Amino acid sequence: QVRLVESGGGLVQAGGSLRLYCAASGSIFSIGAMGWYRQAPGKQRELVARISGGITNYPDSVKGRFRISRDNAKNTVSLEMTSLKPEDTAVYYCNRVPATIAWGQGTQVTVSS
């Protein structure tokens, strides 16, 4: 059973950058599409980045600012975030797309204005 551990979050000023990391305890090679999700207080969890077979997808809210990558050999998925905005503040999680793996603890990203 694959377990996911997210890290790399923190407090950053608007316009700043962060890189998030997701380490899987098992192989993600055969999992298929992986993604990063986020959940802001009082809001539903949303998918903000997806990668499958080298193809990436992003919603308009983060397109051009976020970049997802994966290393199947190392069982890791990363999310590079630039030009961060206060509305990006949330707990960020990685998971399969669709999300069928047990959620990790997530990593908090706080963007101050």
Side-chain angles (χ1 to χ4, degrees):
Q1 183 176 358
V2 176
R3 290 188 177 182
L4 304 168
V5 178
E6 300 89 352
S7 62
L11 174 63
V12 64
Q13 289 187 334
S17 302
L18 280 174
R19 189 179 181 97
L20 306 183
Y21 301 89
C22 172
S25 62
S27 174
I28 63 171
F29 179 76
S30 61
I31 284 180
M34 290 290 294
W36 280 93
Y37 301 74
R38 69 185 180 189
Q39 186 167 23
K43 295 187 177 181
Q44 288 191 333
R45 196 169 299 181
E46 62 172 339
L47 180 66
V48 296
R50 177 185 182 275
I51 185 168
S52 178
I55 298 174
T56 57
N57 302 99
Y58 310 90
D60 289 343
S61 59
V62 307
K63 192 174 294 182
R65 301 188 298 117
F66 288 13
R67 187 175 72 89
I68 187 173
S69 59
R70 69 190 288 176
D71 187 331
N72 290 332
K74 295 182 179 179
N75 297 322
T76 58
V77 183
S78 299
L79 183 69
E80 183 176 2
M81 306 185 296
T82 61
S83 301
L84 283 163
K85 304 175 181 180
E87 51 263 44
D88 295 319
T89 295
V91 180
Y92 284 71
Y93 305 85
C94 67
N95 208 314
R96 186 174 178 264
V97 181
T100 58
I101 302 172
W103 293 100
Q105 84 288 349
T107 186
Q108 176 71 49
V109 171
T110 303
V111 184
S112 63
S113 57

